[in-house]
Amino acid sequence: MRIIECPDYASMSRRAAAMIAAQVLLKPDCVLGLATGSTPVGAYRELVKWNREGLVSFKEARSVNLDEYLGLAPEHEQSYRRFMQENLFDHIDIVPENTHVLNGLAADPDAECAAYDAMTAALGGIDLQLLGMGHNGHIAFNEPGDDFGLGTHVVTLSERTIDANRRFFASRDEVPRRALSMGIRSIMLARRILIIVSGEDKAEALAKAVSGPVTNEVPASVLQLHPDVTLVADSAALSALKGGRAE
Ligand code: GLP
């Protein structure tokens, strides 16, 4: 794992955006695995800016997103489809049909998950997968204890994740309890992985993920087994790793 330490959130975002832009410049029709959450917002903002300035074009790029809440329509204010439209897709030159997000209203969620894996494979697989990380070390919606061998599947969110995401909803009761999520297997199939982490509140989980044992109790720890992972994090997020960092 390559670790890039940045002084703050803004520089972390620029570094991450630069890696995504470089991927698109090297392979214009690449498949980008994209993430939601507050962490990638700054990187998406940089990409929008560079796209407007003509530095990078997404005209040929394809995208697949990690996850979606089960039961939320694409237009719902808190759906991840809407998040992607508002934070990235509506502001860059990507072709709408080339953006893929799981359908939270699928009549048969298991079939939706299987079709999503087949679609991703048919695109040629993911060239670069962007990830954030939850406070309990979750990636996408793979919660502690989830099986590493799963492809895209239906997940039940942990109480901690419901609490963390509650801030986006009017009340805790409105936070969906289930989601559709790429599994660890789907993520590990990506050729390259870029994980971005910001803030001291994630420091403990990040230290466990990077230099603790590989265990499904800390889902992000599986990344230690992937041959091409770059972690871009701010100093606060890396603070619990100091002295004991494993590269
Ligand atoms: C959600 C998403 C994850 C994301 C995590 C952390 O649970 N499913 O993909 O990494 O939140 O979000 P944040 O970046 O807001 O801390």
Side-chain angles (χ1 to χ4, degrees):
M1 182 181 296
R2 201 157 68 104
I3 301 177
I4 298 176
E5 179 169 354
C6 299
D8 52 28
Y9 177 80
S11 73
M12 178 203 75
S13 299
R14 271 194 305 278
R15 285 302 286 265
M19 282 187 61
I20 297 168
Q23 173 65 70
V24 177
L25 289 169
L26 285 170
K27 186 180 175 189
D29 64 347
C30 65
V31 177
L32 297 173
L34 298 177
T36 55
S38 45
T39 312
V41 170
Y44 291 157
R45 209 173 289 139
E46 292 290 334
L47 291 173
V48 167
K49 186 164 127 280
W50 295 340
N51 183 241
R52 284 201 179 131
E53 290 169 353
L55 294 174
V56 60
S57 168
F58 296 88
K59 269 188 189 136
E60 293 176 52
R62 286 83 52 79
S63 73
V64 289
N65 257 80
L66 285 169
D67 45 14
E68 179 61 283
Y69 288 114
L70 192 58
L72 294 196
E75 309 74 38
H76 189 282
E77 270 204 335
Q78 297 308 332
S79 79
Y80 284 168
R81 161 56 81 177
R82 175 122 175 221
F83 174 97
M84 291 308 300
Q85 294 301 136
E86 291 180 350
N87 285 285
L88 187 65
F89 299 152
D90 286 348
H91 313 289
I92 61 174
D93 59 353
I94 197 163
V95 178
E97 293 71 38
N98 287 343
T99 68
H100 305 278
V101 181
L102 284 147
N103 177 10
L105 291 186
D108 182 342
D110 292 326
E112 169 73 7
C113 291
Y116 200 73
D117 283 338
M119 180 273 300
T120 304
L123 291 177
I126 298 167
D127 290 297
L128 177 65
Q129 176 66 58
L130 175 66
L131 294 176
M133 187 189 74
H135 293 94
N136 58 4
H138 77 248
I139 47 177
F141 269 133
N142 295 281
E143 297 280 19
D146 286 357
D147 190 335
F148 278 170
L150 294 174
T152 302
H153 62 294
V154 178
V155 296
T156 301
L157 305 187
S158 72
E159 293 301 315
R160 197 159 176 203
T161 299
I162 293 167
D163 286 339
N165 292 351
R166 186 241 170 280
R167 66 190 196 275
F168 300 112
F169 292 83
S171 73
R172 195 178 189 278
D173 286 348
E174 282 182 31
V175 185
R177 270 33 184 181
R178 294 198 300 160
L180 307 172
S181 177
M182 277 192 202
I184 296 293
R185 180 168 188 278
S186 332
I187 293 168
M188 291 293 277
L189 282 170
R191 290 179 194 93
R192 296 168 63 219
I193 293 176
L194 165 61
I195 177 165
I196 54 177
V197 187
S198 168
E200 205 179 343
D201 50 329
K202 302 243 176 105
E204 204 188 309
L206 186 59
K208 283 188 192 157
V210 172
S211 55
V214 176
T215 164
N216 60 5
E217 288 309 319
V218 184
S221 68
V222 76
L223 300 176
Q224 294 178 37
L225 305 180
H226 191 283
D228 193 341
V229 177
T230 303
L231 163 65
V232 180
D234 59 21
S235 303
L238 287 169
S239 57
L241 261 174
K242 291 277 153 59
R245 185 187 301 179
E247 290 250 2

